[in-house]
Amino acid sequence: MDTNTNLTRALLAALQAHGAREIFGLPGDFILPFFIEAEETGTLPLYTLSHEPGVGFAADSAARYGGGIGVAAVTYGAGALNLVNPVAAAYAEKVPLVVISGAPGARERAGGLLLHHQVRSLDSQLTMFREITCDQAVLDDAATAPGLIARVLARCVRESRPVYLELPRDMARVPCAPVPVLADPMYDRAAVAACVREVTARLRAAARPVLVVGIELRRLGLEEPAARLARQLDIPVVTTVMGRGLLAGRNVPLLGTYLGGAGDPLVADAVEEADALLMLGVLPTDTNFAVADGRIDAAHTLMATEGQVYLDHHVYPAIPLGALLEGLLDSGLRALAPGAEPPGRHCPCDLHADGAPVWPLDIARGINDMLATHGRMPIVSDMGDCFFTALDIEDADLLAPGYYATMGYGVPAGLGLQARTGERPVILVGDGAFQMTGWELGHCRRHGWDPIVIVFNNAGWGMLRSFEPDACFNELGDWHLAAMAAGLGGDGVRVRTRAELAQALQHAATTRGRFQMIEVMLPLGAQSDTLARFVAAARRRNGMC
Ligand SMILES: Cc1ncc(Cc2c([C@H](C)O)sc(CCOP(=O)(O)OP(=O)(O)O)c2C)c(N)n1
């Protein structure tokens, strides 16, 4: 046994070997030994935030945008259970996230007392995390720990889902052998070849093929082969709502995002009239397809998702997405619809810098102008009308919980992205969601993060007003958020007109080293067109007209 290594150091080395590039965390007494080892070794940079939801969202976005895996380290009980929502979001949206929770040691477990942070039994926490992770292990034996860690991390990467590791505090420094890296399981090459033959035959026979790309391509690091296939097939490419931002800047014939009747009719027609819809890495969620209202003919879809391929009325049960892509690229299939150049996309640019009040589409226009002038920046959006506005920002990576739809994601996720890649994000967040996790901006000063943060301030939960316009419980009042930016270590400005917005964006884009908050005061009732169409479609679908 390599006595230079203790269990924590073996775990840190394994996390790095599986693609971790940092740890986000919030310590407590049950996990202090892990934090001490992490800080002393410096194997992975350690970023602490002020509330576990922020820890989870930051780790999520580091993995979602930067690739590899994200790591969230928390204490037992109060810490780990604060992490449940971000881990659930990561599970729902297939993000490879590793939860490391401290836990009581063997002697205190056997002591017979109810321990602080304990819920029901000492295993209650593990039970709860079984439901929102794809694998779990309790590291209470140095002899089995390396094998358990190897198995759990391999599944995290292969399934692109969160996993849970519980580290009793009396185990953190016990001598431990290094963790092996397990080889990927073999797959049936003959089945992949048969599937490729059937898919290429369907595409050759199609008159109106369309390629739909989804989030698994990014989670599994397959965007580049997918872009090569898109260029080779030369057919229109569409993203799902969850996949918005995929293949951006990769020179593919990208038509836009499918939003059914709530989006661009050109995109809706292309998808709904296609006689072969090749869907790669797409999750069949309501946010992706409920707006279709049954207008997509299942007989025309060829769906590769969750390691399976569904076409007509049969399934290929074990087709890794990477193997399918490789087979399609090698098939020689090309130029299926030459000249299928997407029509001139309606790019909402050119913010009119005048004295008119700011509406959500003006924010999208202003950001499009800023990116055109100052270069591409990743967009990170919270949930609210800011998310629907983000769909009008062109040719930019977009990170958002578009399916699980949790609030609180935007600010910590933007910080996690900049921590992982060093890139400066543009963060879109409503005033309600900012009240949840926006305060994590206070950590920017320590780490040199300087996102541009655009707060959509409509003094309430605006999306809910769309459904219940007469309710009083959606009103939050004006919190004057820009006035708080200086105390948090950044610069804040409040804008009401389009001219003020244009000036604020220009200033923010050219000011580095401090976060730049632009608090946009939206007129009461101001709503993006996309959200209005989404709400109308939801009302029709749910019989709420
Ligand atoms: C953690 C959490 N709590 C509650 C909700 C429900 C919810 C929405 C979805 C429907 O579930 S949208 C919304 C209001 C968001 O308000 P704000 O951030 O100010 O943005 P905007 O004013 O643009 O709506 C809530 C409360 C949620 N998505 N996530």
Side-chain angles (χ1 to χ4, degrees), residues 85 383-386 405-407 430-433 436 458 460-464:
N85 185 47
M383 186 40 65
D385 200 7
C386 56
T406 180
M407 290 161 68
D431 57 312
M436 292 184 176
N458 52 23
W461 293 318
M463 259 190 83
L464 301 189

Side-chain angles (χ1 to χ4, degrees), residues 7 28-34 74-81 100-126 137-141 164-172 174:
L7 200 162
D29 62 326
F30 285 116
I31 196 167
L32 283 177
F34 173 86
V74 291
T75 193
Y76 180 74
L81 299 187
I100 298 173
S101 173
R107 286 180 57 184
E108 50 197 328
R109 286 179 70 98
L113 293 174
L114 293 172
L115 301 181
H116 65 286
H117 293 332
Q118 178 179 342
V119 180
R120 189 171 174 178
S121 85
L122 286 169
D123 295 330
S124 295
Q125 177 173 305
L126 172 62
V138 177
L139 307 178
D140 54 8
D141 177 349
Y164 173 81
L165 291 173
E166 189 168 293
L167 177 62
R169 59 175 157 184
D170 60 353
M171 293 297 295
V174 300

Side-chain angles (χ1 to χ4, degrees), residues 455-532:
V455 180
F456 291 51
N457 193 341
N458 52 23
W461 293 318
M463 259 190 83
L464 301 189
R465 282 190 193 126
S466 311
F467 292 99
E468 296 297 344
D470 302 326
C472 297
F473 52 71
N474 289 320
E475 305 313 311
L476 296 174
D478 182 356
W479 283 36
H480 296 275
L481 296 169
M484 301 188 215
L488 291 169
D491 301 320
V493 62
R494 168 171 279 206
V495 302
R496 291 183 185 278
T497 70
R498 298 194 296 199
E500 291 169 346
L501 174 63
Q503 184 183 6
L505 286 168
Q506 174 59 24
H507 175 75
T510 52
T511 305
R512 295 304 304 262
R514 292 165 57 88
F515 73 80
Q516 299 296 304
M517 184 198 294
I518 301 173
E519 181 183 23
V520 181
M521 302 310 291
L522 296 167
L524 193 58
Q527 188 178 65
S528 71
D529 297 343
T530 306
L531 174 58

Side-chain angles (χ1 to χ4, degrees), residues 116 138 140 143 196 198 233 388 408 428:
H116 65 286
V138 177
D140 54 8
V196 167
E198 189 168 354
L233 297 181
F388 295 92
L428 311 182

